[in-house]
Amino acid sequence: MWRCFAPRKLSLTSTLIPFLPQSSPIAGIGWLCEPPAGIAKSWRTNRQAAYDAYLEDLADYAEAKTKATASGMPLDPKRIEPTWKEWNLPELRVPAIQANANVVAVEQSEDSTFDYWLRISTLDKGNPLHIPVKLAPYHKKALQGRTLNTSTTLHKRKGVWWLTLSFDLDVPVETESSAQKVGVDVGIANFITTSTGKKYGSFHGKLARRHTRDREKRRRKARLRACLKKKGVEKLPSTSSASGQRLGRHVRQEINRAVNQMIADHPNARIIYEDLSVASMRFKARSMNAYLYASNLAHIPEQIAWATAKRGMAAHTVKAAYSSQECHRCHYPDRANRPDQQTFKCILCGHRDHADHNAALNLARRFGDTELAACKNKGEVKTRLLRRHEEWKKQYGLAVVQPAVQLGLWDYSEASTDVAESEKTHQCNI
């Protein structure tokens, strides 16, 4: 298995280390080297991002409610006031060691049948722990002629320690500056949708049915666990399942396959994808949150970055705020532009498209947009998009008139957009 720690930096993983008992000195080091500070920092960042998104949704709801009250029309019954649910603190359950050469060092074997020796420093000064490492032919071929990095990582899984070795590999970017820009939108219905109109992979179908069965199994285990706990049983069964772990691996495989197919269809393109924060995404329904978690959307941007870096392709991230609500034609961002998951229909200019394709077009257009890149939050992004919408109306001779012209399209608006005289020669889908 390959993994990418940074753009243009490739690393090799998965070298098995023999089983070490709990009483081994390495077991004590594992908890000391566990990166709790990084996990805590990531948790605080994701929680703050989710809370900021909640405040913005709450402000949007209040604005929509105020407009509905002023116009005398009832608020859309589908609009529900956002609520905030406090996050649970993370728990460290899996021991891991992330260390440099001062703590863990990989030494080449000279007079042994093993390939490497892993030297691990202990609290007993001058008496390090040496563990033999035997590589598979695949690992030997991959590491041949490479210089290993001094940093190493150890993870314990089911009583077995796994060693992660890495080496730097410089891959020059071969994408030309004039290459086609391909926007990539990430979703559940379609893992990847490009601005060229192609779709790759989906969590629907077989994977969704397997997720439903696995969720029912875990719910049954949870009920059994609660019943046994009520009866005073000390050793309670786990709610995790092997089928759920297999499903997670299969989802990642489908994502990898979708990314590879997308890159194969656009070999000389410049890939533009959204800077997605899945950790801050929340739905009101618990079933949808479970569906989102099982779809493993966070793996898609990581795989895109890795696959493009490996091939020497240029890939860039852009702001994802309002990319799915912004109209690609007139720039107007509104939640009402998405009547359902698949459909995009602008409530002002009437532009219609598949929602994922419209978002991919917006992402491709945002590459090189320094104004949007300078925005610090979603509110600034929306203000900038609304300003561009006003510029679009002036460019095509559209004006807001009072009182509203009844065209049958704006049931919840105090003002309507009318076509001026200079627009007679311009075809606009209103």
Side-chain angles (χ1 to χ4, degrees):
M1 180 179 65
W2 293 82
R3 189 171 64 185
C4 181
F5 289 116
R8 313 294 171 239
K9 184 179 179 181
L10 313 182
S11 63
L12 177 69
T13 67
S14 300
T15 302
L16 182 62
I17 294 179
F19 169 79
L20 293 173
Q22 292 289 342
S23 59
S24 172
I26 192 176
I29 298 176
W31 292 108
L32 295 176
C33 297
E34 183 77 34
I39 296 176
K41 182 179 180 180
S42 177
W43 180 85
R44 287 195 299 267
T45 303
N46 293 333
R47 181 199 173 278
Q48 187 61 39
Y51 188 72
D52 293 341
Y54 157 73
L55 294 179
E56 293 175 358
D57 293 341
L58 190 63
D60 291 342
Y61 175 81
E63 182 182 356
K65 188 175 181 180
T66 302
K67 289 183 178 180
T69 304
S71 62
M73 300 297 295
L75 184 65
D76 187 355
K78 295 182 180 180
R79 293 291 299 270
I80 302 176
E81 183 177 0
T83 57
W84 171 255
K85 184 178 180 181
E86 190 56 54
W87 286 29
N88 297 325
L89 291 174
E91 298 180 3
L92 300 179
R93 300 178 181 178
V94 180
I97 298 177
Q98 295 179 352
N100 55 19
N102 296 331
V103 180
V104 179
V106 179
E107 300 175 348
Q108 185 76 37
S109 177
E110 297 180 356
D111 55 352
S112 174
T113 57
F114 299 101
D115 300 292
Y116 291 95
W117 285 92
L118 197 66
R119 178 178 57 80
I120 303 177
S121 301
T122 62
L123 298 179
D124 188 5
K125 186 177 180 180
N127 295 307
L129 180 66
H130 289 85
I131 301 175
V133 178
K134 184 69 174 177
L135 300 181
Y138 166 77
H139 296 134
K140 293 180 181 179
K141 182 178 179 181
L143 294 176
Q144 186 177 4
R146 307 291 184 184
T147 301
L148 297 180
N149 294 332
T150 57
S151 61
T152 55
T153 304
L154 291 168
H155 289 89
K156 189 176 183 180
R157 305 173 186 171
K158 297 182 180 180
V160 178
W161 286 91
W162 291 77
L163 169 65
T164 300
L165 301 176
S166 64
F167 59 87
D168 294 343
L169 181 61
D170 295 329
V171 181
V173 179
E174 300 177 355
T175 305
E176 298 180 358
S177 57
S178 60
Q180 177 189 12
K181 295 184 296 184
V182 176
V184 175
D185 179 68
V186 175
I188 299 178
N190 298 292
F191 283 142
I192 293 176
T193 303
T194 64
S195 56
T196 57
K198 296 185 178 181
K199 302 178 178 62
Y200 305 90
S202 176
F203 190 73
H204 290 173
K206 184 178 180 180
L207 292 177
R209 290 191 295 270
R210 288 179 57 186
H211 163 68
T212 302
R213 291 195 299 267
D214 179 71
R215 188 163 184 262
E216 288 296 329
K217 182 187 298 184
R218 286 187 283 109
R219 293 179 66 180
R220 289 195 299 268
K221 288 186 176 182
R223 289 193 294 267
L224 175 61
R225 182 185 177 93
C227 182
L228 295 177
K229 184 177 181 180
K230 188 176 181 180
K231 293 182 179 181
V233 178
E234 296 182 358
K235 189 175 182 180
L236 301 175
S238 174
T239 57
S240 62
S241 62
S243 59
Q245 297 175 1
R246 288 195 299 268
L247 175 61
R249 292 194 298 269
H250 291 169
V251 171
R252 289 191 292 271
Q253 290 175 359
E254 290 297 322
I255 290 175
N256 297 347
R257 185 178 294 109
V259 171
N260 292 336
Q261 291 175 352
M262 183 268 295
I263 293 179
D265 291 342
H266 308 86
N268 301 317
R270 185 181 299 272
I271 307 300
I272 314 297
Y273 61 100
E274 51 190 328
D275 187 8
L276 194 63
S277 177
V278 181
S280 60
M281 292 183 180
R282 289 293 184 275
F283 291 98
K284 295 180 176 63
R286 296 178 61 183
S287 59
M288 286 301 300
N289 285 326
Y291 201 68
L292 174 66
Y293 176 78
S295 62
N296 208 343
L297 293 185
H299 181 65
I300 301 180
E302 296 177 357
Q303 186 63 21
I304 292 177
W306 157 251
T308 53
K310 182 180 179 180
R311 294 167 173 83
M313 296 178 59
H316 312 271
T317 59
V318 295
K319 287 188 178 296
Y322 297 102
S323 60
S324 61
Q325 299 179 15
E326 177 193 0
C327 176
H328 181 66
R329 173 187 291 173
C330 70
H331 302 281
Y332 185 72
D334 198 296
R335 184 178 299 180
N337 291 342
R338 295 282 301 274
D340 53 58
Q341 193 275 330
Q342 295 184 354
T343 307
F344 183 93
K345 181 180 179 182
C346 182
I347 61 175
L348 291 188
C349 72
H351 173 63
R352 296 180 64 96
D353 197 354
H354 191 282
D356 295 340
H357 182 240
N358 178 81
L361 291 173
N362 290 332
L363 294 173
R365 185 169 57 186
R366 291 185 180 186
F367 173 68
D369 192 337
T370 56
E371 293 181 348
L372 284 183
C375 296
K376 299 180 180 180
N377 51 54
K378 293 178 63 177
E380 294 183 5
V381 173
K382 187 173 184 179
T383 301
R384 175 62 61 180
L385 294 179
L386 290 175
R387 191 175 304 169
R388 292 179 179 180
H389 171 68
E390 295 298 328
E391 295 174 357
W392 179 87
K393 289 196 299 185
K394 293 179 181 179
Q395 179 181 357
Y396 292 108
L398 301 181
V400 178
V401 297
Q402 294 287 351
V405 179
Q406 300 297 326
L407 298 180
L409 295 177
W410 302 278
D411 295 335
Y412 302 100
S413 177
E414 298 178 358
S416 298
T417 303
D418 195 10
V419 181
E421 293 297 329
S422 60
E423 179 60 13
K424 290 182 179 180
T425 59
H426 176 74
Q427 298 296 328
C428 184
N429 295 331
I430 295 182

